[in-house]
Amino acid sequence: MQKRLDVITIGEAMTMFVATETGDLRHVERFIKRVAGAELNVATGLARLGLNVGWVSRVGNDSFGQFVLDCLKKEGIDSAGVTLDDRYPTGFQVKSKVDNGTDPIVEYFRKGSAASHLSTDDFIPGYFSSARHLHLSGVAAALSASSYALLDHAATTLKAQGKSISFDPNLRPVLWKSEAEMVEKLNHLAFKADWVLPGLKEGTILTGETTPEGIADFYLEQGVKAVIVKIGADGAWFKTSASEQGTVPAIHVDNVVDTVGAGDGFAVGVISALLEGKTLPQAVARGNKIGSLAIQVQGDSEGLPARHQLSE
C-alpha cells in the first residue's frame, strides 16, 4: 500500500563542499561536505518538523548520489521517487565561508547532471496523488525543458485533484535563456499555486510591480489564494484572496553566519504551519522564525529546527 505523504517536492540535490576558512576559493585548502538544493532544504525542514515528505529527483549512480541518498535516509525523507541514474552524474557545488554577514560565493558544477534529465517519465501517478500538498521551486523549473515539463504536469494534475500547491520563485537567471523566458515560465507555474512566496526583488522582476501589495495583487488576480512577500529586515508582507493583509516583523539576528537557505527556511515555516491549520499571520511568523535560525549556522539546512526546538 502506498504510504500517505503530507508533502511532495521536486528538485536537484548536489554535494556541497563548504570552505572551512574565509578568503578566495582558489586559496582554500579545506572543505566540509554537505548536501544542498533548495527543494531538498524544504523537504529536510518539513521532515524535521514531523511531516511525511517525499522528494522526487534523479541522482547519478556515483559516490555523490549515494551520499544524497544517505542524507535522505538520515532525515527520514521518502526516496521512492528518486531514480539512480547510470548515465549522468550528480552535480556538486563549492561554497565560500564569510564572516561578515554577506552572501557567500557559490560555484556550481551541475551542467548535464542527472537531475537536469528529470522529465514527465518521473511522474508516478500513485506516488504524487498520495500527497496532500505539492511544493515547487523555480530552481527545478530552470534545470531543463524536460524538468520544467515535469513540474508543470505535476502542478496541473495535483491542482485538478484538489491538492494544495506552494511555489517559491527562487530565481536563478543564469540558468535561463533570457529573463523574458524566466518570467513567462515561472509565472505560468505560480498561477497554478495556492500560495506564492516571492522575495521583493523577485516579485518586481516577475510582475513589474515595485510594492508588496502590487506584487500580491498581480498573483491574486490570477486565482492564487495567498501571496507572502519577503521584505528583508522588515519581515514579510502578506495578502489573501479575501483581502486579509498585513506585515509580520522580522526576528533580529545579531550574528549572521550564512544567508544561503534563509528563503527555504521561510518556506518550511509557512508551509508547515498552514498544513497544520494555523492562520496565515501565524504561518508567516513561523517562516520568519525558521528563516532567522537558518542564517545563524554554516550550511544550507543545518539550522533548520526539529519540532522540539521550535518554541511558539
Side-chain angles (χ1 to χ4, degrees):
M1 181 179 293
Q2 176 64 55
K3 177 182 178 181
R4 301 300 298 177
L5 297 171
D6 293 304
V7 180
I8 278 183
T9 187
I10 308 167
E12 177 172 31
M14 291 168 284
T15 294
M16 174 173 65
F17 295 96
V18 187
T20 60
E21 55 194 276
T22 58
D24 195 308
L25 277 170
R26 63 179 175 173
H27 299 307
V28 176
E29 296 184 351
R30 293 179 177 82
F31 299 82
I32 53 176
K33 187 170 72 168
R34 296 288 186 266
V35 67
E39 301 85 2
L40 183 54
N41 291 339
V42 174
T44 298
L46 294 172
R48 288 182 187 172
L49 293 180
L51 280 76
N52 292 322
V53 185
W55 179 72
V56 175
S57 189
R58 288 178 172 263
V59 297
N61 190 9
D62 47 39
S63 60
F64 288 170
Q66 295 293 342
F67 175 62
V68 171
L69 292 175
D70 288 345
C71 291
L72 294 176
K73 185 176 181 180
K74 176 184 176 183
E75 296 292 348
I77 298 169
D78 190 277
S79 61
V82 180
T83 297
L84 197 62
D85 198 319
D86 290 317
R87 300 167 300 166
Y88 306 105
T90 308
F92 70 96
Q93 61 176 258
V94 182
K95 185 166 75 170
S96 69
K97 179 181 180 181
V98 295
D99 56 8
N100 58 2
T102 59
D103 293 340
I105 300 298
V106 183
E107 295 185 2
Y108 297 93
F109 300 85
R110 73 197 316 173
K111 187 175 182 179
S113 68
S116 70
H117 291 85
L118 280 164
S119 73
T120 52
D121 290 341
D122 295 287
F123 185 85
I124 306 169
Y127 187 68
F128 275 84
S129 65
S130 73
R132 60 190 177 111
H133 182 81
L134 173 69
H135 176 69
L136 300 178
S137 158
V139 180
L143 293 177
S144 63
S146 64
S147 178
Y148 180 88
L150 171 61
L151 269 64
D152 189 32
H153 181 66
T156 300
T157 303
L158 269 67
K159 185 178 181 69
Q161 293 175 358
K163 310 299 179 71
S164 58
I165 301 172
S166 54
F167 180 70
D168 185 342
N170 239 324
L171 300 189
R172 297 292 190 274
V174 70
L175 297 179
W176 293 94
K177 294 179 182 178
S178 68
E179 182 174 297
E181 181 191 40
M182 177 180 71
V183 170
E184 177 189 358
K185 294 289 190 180
L186 294 188
N187 279 335
H188 177 75
L189 289 177
F191 295 161
K192 297 184 179 183
D194 297 284
W195 316 324
V196 177
L197 294 75
L200 182 59
K201 290 182 180 179
E202 291 177 325
T204 297
I205 292 171
L206 292 172
T207 70
E209 301 289 341
T210 57
T211 65
E213 185 165 17
I215 294 167
D217 287 342
F218 177 87
Y219 291 111
L220 294 172
E221 289 169 1
Q222 297 295 325
V224 173
K225 294 178 180 178
V227 181
I228 304 101
V229 183
K230 292 161 282 189
I231 51 178
D234 293 325
W237 188 91
F238 67 89
K239 187 174 183 180
T240 72
S241 55
S243 296
E244 178 189 10
Q245 58 184 286
T247 300
V248 179
I251 295 174
H252 177 71
V253 174
D254 290 321
N255 184 31
V256 177
V257 175
D258 188 343
T259 58
V260 176
D264 301 329
F266 182 82
V268 168
V270 172
I271 295 167
S272 63
L274 290 178
L275 290 179
E276 291 169 17
K278 293 187 179 296
T279 66
L280 189 55
Q282 289 173 327
V284 177
R286 183 186 286 185
N288 286 343
K289 173 67 174 179
I290 297 182
S292 74
L293 294 174
I295 63 177
Q296 295 183 59
V297 299
Q298 190 175 31
D300 290 13
S301 62
E302 279 64 29
L304 299 174
R307 171 66 66 177
H308 72 272
Q309 297 171 309
L310 191 62
S311 58
E312 55 179 22

